[in-house]
Amino acid sequence: MLRDIKDNISSPKYAFKHINDKIIKSISYLLILTLLMMLPLFIYLFTDRTKLTVSPEEIRSEVGLFLSDEIKIVDGKLLNENNNKAFFVSGYYFVMGDYNIINPGVVISFKEEHISISFLVNKYTNTEVGTYTYQSLGMENYLFNNSNRNDLSYKLSNVLANNNTIITYTFIQVFFSFFIDMIMIVLILSLLSKVSRPLPFTYSNHFNINAHLTTIYALIILISGLFGLGFGTIIAWIAVILYNNIAYRSIRIIKKGRD
């Protein structure tokens, strides 16, 4: 498998070695590439778990909505004078008071005696996956003022990062997102190759070829994830289209001459 990855990166034409593979083998190869793309997540799992959910910096930019003299925690209980507020950051809803969230997502709510984390599937289905008392978070007596903006941001970020259910959800979500992206790229390139090139190949042949050509896409996504390059997806698309063209242009059609 490592040899296949090396060959497919070094020269696009090597993808044709797999033209007659079974579809299941090509899909298995895409699954391995998907896991390769997720390597940065496994690194963050042991280095900085906040990068797997929402960072303190992202929360800090919005948490000012909760900063008020009317909101405080005294002796482990939240005192909130009808300040029903919420903000949304990177797929997570942060809720103060009795604020109704109707869209699906992860909800972090400030309750009377604890912070609750739950999955909201719809307005009727809400599954709680973690609760944290204010005392356990060092917030037994706490003021929601500007001097605590950074501290509050870090606490909320760490609550999410240390919840194993949320981390598992993140891995599953990213895995399927990457895998579906890979499948869609292969399907699109295979269709274009089938329609635009007069070759004696079946759609399955094109699928097998393009499944291996996406190796360069996976590699660039991996590198962009490791180094935090925001434009990695664009470069990856350009690279895989370029590899597709180089590979198919390497084909030489030999026509039979007349006797």
Side-chain angles (χ1 to χ4, degrees):
M1 189 62 67
L2 291 176
R3 177 66 180 272
D4 284 340
I5 293 175
K6 178 178 176 294
D7 288 344
N8 290 327
I9 292 172
S10 62
S11 179
K13 66 183 180 181
Y14 279 108
F16 286 96
K17 293 193 304 181
H18 305 277
I19 189 171
N20 292 317
D21 284 354
K22 293 182 178 180
I23 291 295
I24 189 64
K25 186 175 180 180
S26 294
I27 292 176
S28 297
Y29 183 74
L30 291 175
L31 286 170
I32 291 173
L33 291 181
T34 300
L35 291 174
L36 181 66
M37 294 161 66
M38 292 182 65
L39 181 59
L41 276 71
F42 288 102
I43 294 175
Y44 295 146
L45 184 64
F46 298 102
T47 57
D48 185 2
R49 290 165 65 111
T50 62
K51 291 184 178 179
L52 297 173
T53 53
V54 57
S55 70
E57 291 75 21
E58 291 176 293
I59 296 175
R60 186 185 300 119
S61 65
E62 301 290 341
V63 78
L65 189 67
F66 288 175
L67 304 182
S68 170
D69 293 336
E70 297 178 349
I71 304 174
K72 65 184 69 175
I73 298 170
V74 178
D75 295 330
K77 289 190 176 183
L78 178 67
L79 302 180
N80 178 21
E81 297 296 330
N82 295 319
N83 284 283
N84 303 318
K85 304 174 181 178
F87 63 87
F88 178 81
V89 180
S90 301
Y92 297 86
Y93 294 95
F94 295 84
V95 178
M96 176 69 71
D98 188 20
Y99 192 96
N100 188 28
I101 301 294
I102 59 175
N103 295 321
V106 177
V107 180
I108 302 88
S109 302
F110 284 84
K111 305 293 187 180
E112 183 180 3
E113 297 182 348
H114 63 269
I115 290 177
S116 168
I117 300 178
S118 59
F119 287 110
L120 181 65
V121 179
N122 53 53
K123 62 181 180 179
Y124 303 109
T125 307
N126 188 16
T127 304
E128 192 171 68
V129 296
T131 58
Y132 304 84
T133 65
Y134 296 120
Q135 184 176 7
S136 69
L137 297 174
M139 300 173 68
E140 187 174 7
N141 292 284
Y142 200 83
L143 298 177
F144 286 77
N145 54 31
N146 197 55
S147 63
N148 279 330
R149 177 190 289 261
N150 290 342
D151 182 69
L152 180 59
S153 301
Y154 276 101
K155 287 183 187 300
L156 291 176
S157 180
N158 286 324
V159 161
L160 287 169
N162 291 312
N163 185 291
N164 290 329
T165 303
I166 295 296
I167 296 300
T168 302
Y169 164 78
T170 300
F171 269 80
I172 293 173
Q173 184 184 47
V174 172
F175 175 83
F176 279 105
S177 176
F178 279 163
F179 183 65
I180 291 171
D181 284 348
M182 295 290 280
I183 290 291
M184 292 304 299
I185 291 169
V186 174
L187 290 175
I188 291 170
L189 291 178
S190 299
L191 179 61
L192 293 175
S193 300
K194 178 69 175 175
V195 172
S196 63
R197 295 182 171 92
L199 298 170
F201 297 163
T202 65
Y203 187 81
S204 295
N205 294 148
H206 287 293
F207 186 94
N208 291 331
I209 294 166
N210 285 288
H212 287 79
L213 289 175
T214 55
T215 306
I216 188 63
Y217 179 93
L219 178 65
I220 293 175
I221 293 297
L222 169 62
I223 294 173
S224 65
L226 289 172
F227 296 98
L229 305 178
F231 47 85
T233 302
I234 297 175
I235 296 176
W237 264 103
I238 294 173
V240 74
I241 292 172
L242 181 62
Y243 265 51
N244 174 275
N245 277 276
I246 293 173
Y248 278 92
R249 286 184 179 181
S250 69
I251 299 174
R252 294 294 180 264
I253 301 176
I254 301 175
K255 297 181 179 180
K256 290 184 177 180
R258 295 182 179 177
D259 294 335

